[in-house]
Amino acid sequence: MWIRSTLAYRVSFLMTAVGGLLVTGLDFVAILLMFSQVDVLGGYSLPEIAFLYGLSAMSFGFADLAIGSAGRLGTRVRDGTLDTLLVRPAPVLAQVAADRFALRRVSRILQGTAVFGYALVATDVAWSPQKVLLVPVMLVSGGVIFGSVFVAGAAFQFVAQDAAEVQAAFTYGGQTLLQYPPTVFGVKLVRGVTFVFPLAFVNWVPASYVLGRPYPLGLPQWAAFAPPLVASVCCAAAGLAWRIGLRSYRSTGS
């Protein structure tokens, strides 16, 4: 319904999508400005950072397109309109994901794809079958990991109600963090996004194998192939958090 509503005004949709493409592209413009003054950043060249950037942008873009609407769940909890979703014969999470579905978010995927395409051409990688197969695995696993963070953040809003900004700190903030190499951040932060919120498995860890870079925190080489396992654990944890949050919902009492 929301897609049909969006495409009913195609010029408006096109202008919004192009605007989103330009706005998200400013992140990479900032990186280009940095490299106008330096040759490497944290030991990484521009094509290598573009590789990290493209992976994180596409993975996040898929998750944002599919489940990004969960960020406004707190408003429904606060005003009690979540009740209307509970009485419909469809999973509540699916309804939350479809609520005001924003097709314009596809612009983030397109922008990330363009940067990633540049990285594939510009990086000097000794490609092997394992590395080629690892690229789509990274994209799918990264999308699931980011999607799990969206769902877990939505579950938190059952308790905190309107906490969209807290959720955004881990979703949009996490995506921005992964645009840069782990070598520019402190060890404690890298440990946090590796073992607590395992966003590092979106691109930092597997990309280290592809690019031939040292692994963050000295992780073993097999960790590059762990993103599917990490994504499965994140998905299970987010599903559990969602069920607990939904069961705790008591409406507004009015």
Side-chain angles (χ1 to χ4, degrees):
M1 181 189 71
W2 284 107
I3 292 175
R4 290 181 63 184
S5 174
T6 299
L7 295 180
Y9 303 93
R10 298 190 178 185
V11 175
S12 176
F13 166 70
L14 183 61
M15 293 176 64
T16 304
V18 171
L21 189 66
L22 295 176
V23 170
T24 56
L26 290 177
D27 288 341
F28 193 66
V29 171
I31 294 175
L32 292 176
L33 291 175
M34 293 180 192
F35 275 91
S36 68
Q37 303 298 320
V38 298
D39 295 325
V40 293
L41 183 63
Y44 282 65
S45 65
L46 176 59
E48 290 174 324
I49 290 182
F51 190 87
L52 297 177
Y53 179 100
L55 285 173
S56 66
M58 287 191 291
S59 297
F60 180 81
F62 288 128
D64 190 32
L65 180 65
I67 196 69
S69 297
R72 62 172 56 91
L73 179 67
T75 302
R76 283 191 172 274
V77 172
R78 190 178 69 250
D79 60 21
T81 56
L82 183 63
D83 295 0
T84 60
L85 306 186
L86 296 175
V87 299
R88 293 173 182 168
V92 177
L93 183 58
Q95 295 183 70
V96 170
D99 185 29
R100 296 186 178 276
F101 184 83
L103 188 60
R104 67 180 183 276
R105 291 174 179 154
V106 73
S107 60
R108 185 183 296 273
I109 301 175
L110 296 176
Q111 188 263 337
T113 302
V115 175
F116 189 65
Y118 157 74
L120 291 178
V121 174
T123 50
D124 185 16
V125 176
W127 290 101
S128 64
Q130 294 88 343
K131 292 182 179 181
V132 172
L133 292 175
L134 189 58
V135 171
V137 170
M138 282 190 283
L139 292 175
V140 175
S141 301
V144 173
I145 292 173
F146 271 123
S148 299
V149 177
F150 271 110
V151 174
F156 175 70
Q157 295 195 53
F158 281 111
V159 178
Q161 296 187 4
D162 197 2
E165 295 303 322
V166 176
Q167 178 179 345
F170 292 95
T171 52
Y172 291 91
Q175 190 263 333
T176 302
L177 179 78
L178 296 180
Q179 293 174 0
Y180 299 91
T183 50
V184 302
F185 300 106
V187 175
K188 291 184 179 179
L189 179 60
V190 176
R191 286 175 180 168
V193 296
T194 302
F195 300 113
V196 181
F197 296 97
L199 296 177
F201 290 91
V202 173
N203 62 353
W204 281 355
V205 178
S208 296
Y209 171 77
V210 175
L211 298 174
R213 287 287 182 174
Y215 285 46
L217 305 175
L219 293 173
Q221 288 193 349
W222 59 261
F225 302 93
L229 176 61
V230 174
S232 299
V233 173
C234 290
C235 193
L240 178 61
W242 172 261
R243 287 191 292 271
I244 293 174
L246 188 60
R247 289 174 182 173
S248 69
Y249 176 66
R250 294 293 181 269
S251 191
T252 59
S254 60

